[in-house]
Amino acid sequence: MTYFITFLEGLLSFISPCMLPLLPVYLSFFAGSADKKEPKLLRTIAFVLGFTLSFIVFGLVLSALGILLASYKTVVNIVCGAIMVFFGLTVAEIIRLPFLSGRASRVKVAGVFSAFVFGLVYPINLMPCIGAFLGSALALAASSGSMLQGALLLTVYSMGLGIPFILSALLMSHLTDLFTKIKSHYGIIKKISGGILILVGVLTACGLIEKLMSLFA
């Protein structure tokens, strides 16, 4: 269940209001001077692998921190749950934070390796845009009590974010209408997304998420 929630957070990150409109710009980074040896798809995959590695490292670090604070498990759960509830309130726009609506800066991707490096540093650039969803996923990792589960949670999050990227690189010309429809429903998407994060935060604070994770471990 928690892995499904984390995957959903990755997917919601992809369709977030300040992320989805910039998708053509990101994909243009990888098209650039792409030739037969280094097609756009290959660069996109390298980019996804780059930010997946970064997210896994984040998950490992926060999981290790959670283990070090194991004797304060109840406090960790409450703090992580409160963080997720807070992010849920920002996603639902009950609390408004201007810095969470950031925009990506333009970069130049010259090849597969540079696309991978761009992916490694991408989470820093991405933080203002999807900070709420990423922060919730990281809070889940910190409260997981296991470095393996923390790494898996962030891997699943990266899949939720990365798979749509790869599909978009393949089908961009066919997805314009779909993206337009998604944008027209941002209001309800934000409310539902925020509600999910708030619910997960409450469950985490009560220690119930840990029990769910143990069932699927």
Side-chain angles (χ1 to χ4, degrees), residues 190-207:
K190 289 178 182 178
K191 295 296 186 294
I192 294 175
S193 303
I196 292 173
L197 293 184
I198 291 170
L199 176 60
V200 174
V202 171
L203 292 175
T204 299
C206 295

Side-chain angles (χ1 to χ4, degrees), residues 35 75 159 194:
D35 52 31
V75 175
M159 290 173 61

